[in-house]
Amino acid sequence: MAAERRRKQDTLELRRRLIGSSCRLFFSEDPVKIVRGRGQYVYDEEGAEYLDCINNVAHVGHCHPLVVKAAHQQNRVLNTNSRYLHDNMVDYAQRLSETLPKELCVFYFLNSGSEANDLALRLARQYTGHRDVVVLDHAYHGHLSSLIDISPYKFRSLEGQQEWVHVAPLPDTYRGLYREEHPDPAAAYAQEVKRLVDGAHEKGRKIAAFFIESLPSVGGQIIPPAGYFQKVAEHIRGAGGVFVADEIQVGFGRVGQHFWAFQLQGKDFVPDIVTMGKPIGNGHPIACVATTQAIAAAFAATGVEYFNTFGGNPVSCAVGLAVLEVLEQEKLQQHAAHVGGFLMELLHQQKVKHPIIGDVRGVGLFVGVDLIADVEGRTPATKEADCLVSRLKTDYILLSTDGPGRNVLKFKPPMCFSTDDAKRVVAKIDQILTDMEQEMRSCETLRRGWQ
């Protein structure tokens, strides 16, 4: 029996029996069974259409025909070990190099973002001869053991912080240590990194790398203040370390203004290592690390071969090339800038109308809506955010929350997300928040009556 013909409840029961319980589902109390996708829409087993506002994996749209065709055609001819010479790998590396600063000219292909960040850590340590890493609070860089160690989002719930890991404050100008009224939040947050570096040096430790998502996602859809990267890089490189930009969630034109999110910091900033995943293959398992000649040479000098059986195989590279072709042909970077700006404008209008919306922040199709329980304390409205996304699901809109308080609505839809989609989502958010406010007023009236 085909999977999509099985009853949803039967599928759920099999999953509960066969799949590890730590592999959680969206909307776990009433999960959606998705059997098909197209563009910015996914469909359940009964044919109901859901607008997908969160799936940044399907970067150019679910099942884009050009991407599917590229994978199928190459699969019919050859898919083999990456130790053989093949045009697809070098063609893809060449195309990627055209999107990056000239310094980032050596590529390693892998299967996932976690593999990419693990390799970045190895490259940094080999090049610098150091071990320690500086990361941001609430960061997540992958599920491998090496990356759990540098992901406060994970390690705070597990074995705790390793002595070689140093956690810097999240550069959040809305809820963080230095807020929007600070005269120079970029310098202030960067000084916190310097403080950590100096503290490590006092203990005889040495910094290998600073890891950062170019736009912290799990931390709550954060937009670091301009100039922060340059100032941090100065402190890190001064300590002999390298700067790693994790573009796994936000690269490939999502920010609209630029192809890479680290470019939002200015033309003068170039990371030492860039990692890529998720959108690179539109759902196909491919990832990449880009770095400098000097770092690659130091890695090769060990004499130990770097070998990845499937990384950079002909099919994966064909898919990667197709994704880049779609981005260019359909002008999706420019589209992200236009639609993202329109979405932000609509959300700002709702902020004026609904006090629960404390902040609207974002760039391109990377947008966060920070829901608060009170204006003064900016306390995360966690329950209300959860209620909102649950109600949206009943209206066939898939959205989710992130941030330390799980109160930030996160928009990272497929890049074909349209202005009509934006209108639909925001209208529903408006309706639901209005209903919630009326419910709260009714409850308050009843409470006063009881008194």
Side-chain angles (χ1 to χ4, degrees):
M1 180 170 60
E4 63 268 25
R5 304 290 293 183
R6 184 180 287 122
R7 289 191 319 116
K8 173 180 164 180
Q9 189 58 37
D10 293 340
T11 304
L12 184 58
E13 288 173 5
L14 281 170
R15 180 175 174 118
R16 287 171 175 166
R17 177 160 60 87
L18 298 170
I19 307 301
S21 59
S22 57
C23 301
R24 297 175 183 172
L25 290 162
F26 283 135
F27 314 105
S28 56
E29 293 184 1
D30 183 25
V32 182
K33 181 178 179 181
I34 298 300
V35 300
R36 186 168 62 89
R38 191 72 167 185
Q40 64 271 50
Y41 303 103
V42 290
Y43 302 84
D44 69 13
E45 78 285 2
E46 295 181 348
E49 179 184 85
Y50 291 79
L51 175 60
D52 185 356
C53 299
I54 56 175
N55 200 324
N56 61 329
V57 179
H59 190 59
V60 298
H62 291 277
C63 301
H64 193 288
L66 196 152
V67 179
V68 172
K69 180 180 178 181
H72 178 60
Q73 288 184 338
Q74 183 57 53
N75 243 327
R76 293 179 63 184
V77 178
L78 176 71
N79 194 23
T80 188
N81 193 301
S82 58
R83 278 176 167 168
Y84 291 106
L85 192 62
H86 197 278
D87 285 343
N88 283 6
M89 179 185 283
V90 294
D91 287 345
Y92 189 36
Q94 178 65 39
R95 285 288 301 278
L96 281 176
S97 72
E98 293 166 2
T99 70
L100 287 159
K102 64 181 186 303
E103 295 90 337
L104 298 168
C105 57
V106 181
F107 299 85
Y108 301 85
F109 291 110
L110 316 93
N111 305 297
S112 70
S114 289
E115 282 192 14
N117 279 337
D118 178 73
L119 177 58
L121 182 58
R122 290 176 60 190
L123 288 167
R125 285 175 166 167
Q126 180 58 37
Y127 176 69
T128 63
H130 303 166
R131 176 168 176 76
D132 288 26
V133 176
V134 180
V135 295
L136 294 183
D137 206 359
H138 309 297
Y140 174 65
H141 292 290
H143 62 78
L144 301 181
S145 295
S146 61
L147 304 176
I148 295 295
D149 285 341
I150 64 170
S151 298
Y153 171 70
K154 290 291 185 181
F155 71 58
R156 294 202 192 286
S157 303
L158 297 169
E159 298 176 0
Q161 187 172 336
Q162 300 287 344
E163 63 178 354
W164 51 268
V165 176
H166 311 277
V167 180
L170 190 67
D172 178 0
T173 57
Y174 179 69
R175 187 177 279 104
L177 199 58
Y178 307 106
R179 300 188 175 182
E180 64 268 22
E181 69 275 6
H182 193 282
D184 191 354
Y189 278 116
Q191 190 64 28
E192 293 294 323
V193 174
K194 185 178 187 303
R195 182 181 58 81
L196 288 173
V197 171
D198 291 344
H201 285 171
E202 289 172 6
K203 297 176 182 178
R205 309 196 68 88
K206 295 180 178 180
I207 305 299
F210 175 76
F211 268 74
I212 184 172
E213 286 183 279
S214 297
L215 297 175
S217 177
V218 171
Q221 304 289 95
I222 303 300
I223 311 297
Y228 175 68
F229 283 21
Q230 289 90 331
K231 292 178 172 66
V232 168
E234 182 180 343
H235 300 320
I236 294 296
R237 290 167 179 162
V242 299
F243 192 108
V244 182
D246 178 341
E247 291 270 339
I248 290 165
Q249 301 253 23
V250 294
F252 290 82
R254 176 162 295 279
V255 300
Q257 300 173 29
H258 303 281
F259 198 81
W260 303 103
F262 69 79
Q263 293 170 323
L264 291 167
Q265 292 283 316
K267 293 181 180 179
D268 62 325
F269 178 74
V270 179
D272 300 293
I273 301 172
V274 172
T275 59
M276 314 166 203
K278 295 186 192 305
I280 193 171
N282 210 56
H284 185 87
I286 180 172
C288 182
V289 174
T291 191
T292 65
Q293 287 282 3
I295 293 174
F299 192 58
T302 64
V304 178
E305 176 191 17
Y306 176 74
F307 172 57
N308 190 311
T309 302
F310 300 110
N313 70 73
V315 172
S316 293
C317 289
V319 167
L321 283 162
V323 170
L324 291 179
E325 187 175 342
V326 172
L327 283 168
E328 184 176 340
Q329 285 184 357
E330 300 184 7
K331 295 181 171 55
L332 291 180
Q333 181 180 327
Q334 298 90 323
H335 180 80
H338 171 65
V339 177
F342 180 75
L343 174 61
M344 289 274 288
E345 181 181 339
L346 293 180
L347 290 168
H348 276 294
Q349 292 170 8
Q350 296 304 310
K351 180 177 181 294
V352 174
K353 184 176 181 181
H354 300 287
I356 194 173
I357 299 178
D359 191 36
V360 175
R361 53 183 176 262
V363 58
L365 286 174
F366 177 92
V367 176
V369 181
D370 198 315
L371 302 186
I372 56 172
D374 62 279
V375 175
E376 285 294 319
R378 299 181 178 181
T379 308
T382 305
K383 290 182 180 179
E384 292 86 347
D386 183 62
C387 177
L388 177 58
V389 297
S390 294
R391 292 194 184 187
L392 283 170
K393 185 198 117 180
T394 64
D395 285 318
Y396 304 99
I397 296 171
L398 302 181
L399 192 64
S400 66
T401 60
D402 230 326
R406 304 296 302 180
N407 66 302
V408 180
L409 308 178
K410 61 176 182 180
F411 288 84
K412 287 181 290 187
M415 295 276 278
C416 48
F417 190 83
S418 70
T419 52
D420 284 342
D421 297 326
K423 290 177 187 176
R424 174 184 170 190
V425 176
V426 175
K428 284 295 181 182
I429 289 174
D430 179 25
Q431 178 187 330
I432 293 167
L433 289 181
T434 300
D435 290 346
M436 290 169 66
E437 288 161 0
Q438 290 174 347
E439 289 166 12
M440 289 175 66
R441 283 195 291 269
S442 297
C443 289
E444 181 64 19
T445 300
L446 285 172
R447 185 185 67 79
R448 289 175 179 172
W450 291 332
Q451 291 176 339

